[in-house]
Amino acid sequence: MLILVANCLGKVIRFPLMDDRIIIRVGSLQESDLCLPYKGVSRNHFTLNCRKRGWFLKDLGSTNGTRVNGRKVEETELKHGDLIQAGIVELSIQEVDQNKFIKIPEETASRRLGSTDKMIDLADIGSSNVFASDKLVLPLGMISGTSPKILDLFQRLHSLIDSDVSVLLIGETGTGKEMFAQTLHHSGKRSKGPFIAINCAAIPSELIEAELFGIGEKIATDVGPRAGKFVHANDGTLFLDELSAFPVGLQAKILRAIDEKKVTPVGKHVPVNVDFRLICATNEDPEELIRSGKLREDLYHRVATVELEIPPLRERKEDLSVLIIGLLQQICRREKKTIAGISNSLFDSLIAYSYPGNIRELINLLSSMVALAHPGEMLDLHLAPGRLMKSEGNDPHQQSETDFLSGPVDLRDKLDETTKGWIVRALHLNDWNISAAARSLKITRFGLQKMMKRLGITDKP
């Protein structure tokens, strides 16, 4: 398969030339299939046309012209190794193995991705019926996964859908606790009722009681009577996220309201009956919250009839392949943007990353790379944020003092290791084109070849 590689000011863009793209427009216009907003590139500079015999370049009357292998052309057939010049941008035609990147399918389907040992079944991505039970309904956009911990969690959720017991979800920030709460709601007997979610830490302290229980008439200037969240959740589900953020005094009133199924609005004396299922969540250890005085023990025992632990993403690595592909599909649809796929090197880096921010961080990582990519471009390591590129063993700020326990450290060896790593990375990003790699490292081709020889970098691994 041919791929168009654009190199300008050290930035490398890879644009696969696939048969399903009949015409590719290249220019400085943002609407171009490949946008090159650089000096000397016309708004509509040239097109690439797919014909039966192959790919053809046609200049669109650009101001500075288009050169192929140093010769100014109006139209010419392209082949592997051709060099294209458009303004200050250098582009090359390279032939790559189809397995060097993973294509993101526009529609979910079962297909082979990457090398022969990577088979990802995408048939059920984004569906609401991934779990074996027809009764378990996932909220729109939720991707389940098939890791043992997630399947065990879904089995427990399945056991609770016909019950009204209170549930406490325990999990780190970003693990998707509200999504699992919605799964219980949509799957249960209260699914036709409302799902009311409250971020307990986000409500100002002076408004908490009125927000939860409501407020009566003529209680405060310019404040009209209104029902609280407890009343809005009637016949449905009330989800309290970070319950321990409420003041301890208010926790006693919440406990009383849950036990009596009644709330009394601020400034009124007549209680209002409420009937809802209660689901709470916390990202801290409940026992530690009780010991520190942040959570009343009696309230904890009332809301935690059943405790469910939401595993962090680093403990469900088996789900990452499907999550990455499925989330990319969702992000591209939301942004109305098409990408060609994701390189195996970036895919492997995403799999290896630890995700301290869990699924929320994964979504943000993928969203940032899709936003930075040109339409039709293949996502690659040059679009990834720095934290993704750092591994525990290569981050100098995380190096252990144990390196020095056996004696002095040879700084020259450490510098050679670092230099070799950057050179190999640059070569990989430029498909082992030495000239392009040298430009991205801001050194000469001769200098790069000299360092490669000294460091033993002889060939593509």
Side-chain angles (χ1 to χ4, degrees), residues 138-165:
L138 274 61
L140 184 66
M142 184 177 182
I143 301 171
S144 66
T146 56
S147 63
K149 288 195 174 184
I150 283 296
L151 290 180
D152 179 65
L153 177 58
F154 279 131
Q155 184 64 59
R156 292 171 184 269
L157 290 172
H158 176 260
S159 302
L160 295 171
I161 58 178
D162 293 324
S163 171
D164 241 0
V165 297

Side-chain angles (χ1 to χ4, degrees), residues 286-389:
E287 293 184 3
E288 181 57 38
L289 290 172
I290 293 170
R291 281 195 296 269
S292 63
K294 294 180 180 179
L295 180 64
R296 289 177 59 105
E297 186 171 5
D298 51 0
L299 179 60
Y300 162 69
H301 289 303
R302 180 64 181 82
V303 303
T305 305
V306 175
E307 286 187 11
L308 295 178
E309 290 192 16
I310 312 299
L313 198 50
R314 62 181 175 275
E315 293 181 8
R316 42 178 298 207
K317 288 279 190 176
E318 304 94 326
D319 297 332
L320 271 173
S321 295
V322 171
L323 284 171
I324 291 168
I325 303 299
L327 289 172
L328 278 174
Q329 288 178 319
Q330 293 180 8
I331 293 166
C332 288
R333 282 197 297 267
R334 184 187 69 214
E335 298 297 324
K336 297 179 181 179
K337 195 171 192 178
T338 301
I339 59 172
I342 179 172
S343 71
N344 273 331
S345 54
L346 175 56
F347 192 82
D348 291 341
S349 295
L350 288 167
I351 295 292
Y353 186 57
S354 59
Y355 297 99
N358 293 294
I359 290 182
R360 185 179 294 129
E361 184 178 13
L362 173 60
I363 293 172
N364 288 339
L365 278 172
L366 297 175
S367 297
S368 70
M369 289 188 284
V370 170
L372 291 170
H374 288 265
E377 185 183 355
M378 177 174 65
L379 298 188
D380 208 346
L381 290 170
H382 70 282
L383 296 170
R387 67 182 184 277
L388 189 66
M389 302 300 296

Side-chain angles (χ1 to χ4, degrees), residues 8 48 55 59 88 93 122 142 158 169 196 227 295 352 414:
C8 183
L48 299 173
W55 284 90
D59 184 78
I88 64 171
I93 302 295
L122 301 178
M142 184 177 182
H158 176 260
L169 302 175
I196 304 297
L295 180 64
K414 294 295 181 183

